[in-house]
């Protein structure tokens, strides 16, 4: 087994031990109603070039059709963020929770659509036999972690939301478009785990 889990854990702890300004959030777009707790799993594959498991939602879904997302969803009664993220990944991709080595929870992201999303960073084996649940996942893919965490790879765009001009990040990868909340969560994680530090640690292993 590689040392990826130890390296990522050390970088994660270091990054969350210091104050970071400018973290992205859509909290200012909330309408004042109660936010629903949710969680997503940032599953990093344990291999020479670590990748991150992402899904594409079915194009026929009512909410956010065709969008790229991390496995995840709303917390059920009595769940914490880690339990919910593992359950959702198992339901969406048949990703066995016993195969997941959790590193920790990262910065809460409040969406303008009523969710408080807690990202859960974890390491998983690279050879999992993932099976998408067709009701929730149209496809899955796994871009390199170093690609996602490098700010130079992201485009900046503007859009009008609820009468306000908003900036957002986007990236095209092998026919998939990563943007919105997923891109914002990645951008926040990159503030905690800088791309340059990640490359140094992986090479050291």
């Amino acid at each position: 087994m590689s040392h990826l889990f130890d390296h990522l854990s050390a970088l994660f702890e270091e990054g969350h031990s210091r104050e970071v300004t400018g973290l992205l959030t859509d909290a200012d777009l909330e309408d004042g109603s109660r936010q629903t707790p949710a969680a997503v799993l940032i599953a990093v594959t344990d291999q020479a070039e670590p990748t991150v498991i992402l899904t594409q939602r079915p194009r026929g879904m009512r909410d956010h059709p065709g969008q790229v997302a991390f496995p995840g969803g709303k917390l059920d009664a009595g769940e914490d963020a880690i339990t919910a993220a593992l359950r959702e990944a198992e339901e969406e991709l048949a990703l066995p929770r016993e195969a997941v080595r959790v590193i920790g929870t990262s910065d809460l992201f409040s969406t303008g659509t009523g969710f408080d999303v807690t990202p859960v960073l974890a390491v998983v084996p690279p050879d999992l036999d993932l099976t998408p649940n067709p009701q929730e996942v149209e496809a899955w893919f796994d871009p390199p972690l170093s690609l996602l965490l490098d700010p130079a790879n992201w485009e900046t765009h503007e859009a009008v939301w609820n009468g306000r001009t908003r900036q957002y990040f986007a990236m095209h990868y092998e026919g998939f478009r990563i943007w919105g909340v997923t891109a914002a969560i990645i951008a926040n994680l990159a503030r905690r785990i800088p791309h340059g530090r990640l490359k140094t640690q992986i090479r050291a292993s």
Side-chain angles (χ1 to χ4, degrees):
M1 181 177 291
S2 78
H3 299 294
L4 177 64
F5 179 84
D6 293 335
H7 290 321
L8 269 183
S9 296
L11 291 173
F12 185 85
E13 182 177 354
E14 176 187 325
H16 286 77
S17 67
R18 54 184 170 80
E19 183 178 354
V20 172
T21 60
L23 292 171
L24 302 179
T25 182
D26 284 339
D28 59 325
L29 297 178
E30 298 171 12
D31 61 7
S33 59
R34 184 177 180 274
Q35 294 287 98
T36 300
V40 296
L41 184 67
I42 306 177
V44 181
T45 60
D46 192 352
Q47 54 189 342
E49 176 66 82
T51 61
V52 177
I53 295 173
L54 293 172
T55 68
Q56 183 178 42
R57 295 165 64 86
R59 300 177 194 276
M61 290 190 80
R62 183 184 65 180
D63 297 323
H64 311 294
Q67 286 193 9
V68 167
F70 294 109
K74 295 185 292 186
L75 272 63
D76 284 346
E79 285 186 326
D80 59 16
I82 292 175
T83 303
L86 297 180
R87 173 183 54 77
E88 288 284 349
E90 199 164 49
E91 291 176 358
E92 293 180 15
L93 290 170
L95 196 165
R97 64 189 72 192
E98 62 270 14
V100 181
R101 300 182 71 192
V102 173
I103 292 174
T105 59
S106 195
D107 298 288
L108 186 76
F109 186 91
S110 296
T111 75
T113 53
F115 294 94
D116 281 337
V117 183
T118 299
V120 178
L121 182 65
V123 172
V124 300
D127 54 354
L128 293 172
D129 184 17
L130 301 180
T131 304
N133 177 344
Q135 293 184 334
E136 300 190 66
V137 176
E138 181 173 302
W140 71 272
F141 63 108
D142 58 336
L145 175 63
S146 60
L147 177 81
L148 297 179
L149 293 186
D150 187 349
N153 295 323
W154 291 90
E155 302 171 350
T156 303
H157 298 271
E158 287 188 349
V160 177
W161 174 270
N162 286 346
R164 303 182 189 178
T165 300
R166 308 286 296 179
Q167 284 194 337
Y168 67 91
F169 296 110
M171 175 192 296
H172 291 271
Y173 179 80
E174 295 188 353
F176 296 96
R177 184 173 185 251
I178 310 167
W179 69 291
V181 172
T182 301
I185 288 174
I186 293 169
N188 285 346
L189 185 63
R191 300 285 185 93
R192 299 293 186 180
I193 304 178
H195 172 250
R197 293 280 286 126
L198 175 73
K199 292 181 67 175
T200 300
Q201 290 290 342
I202 291 178
R203 286 171 180 168
S205 65

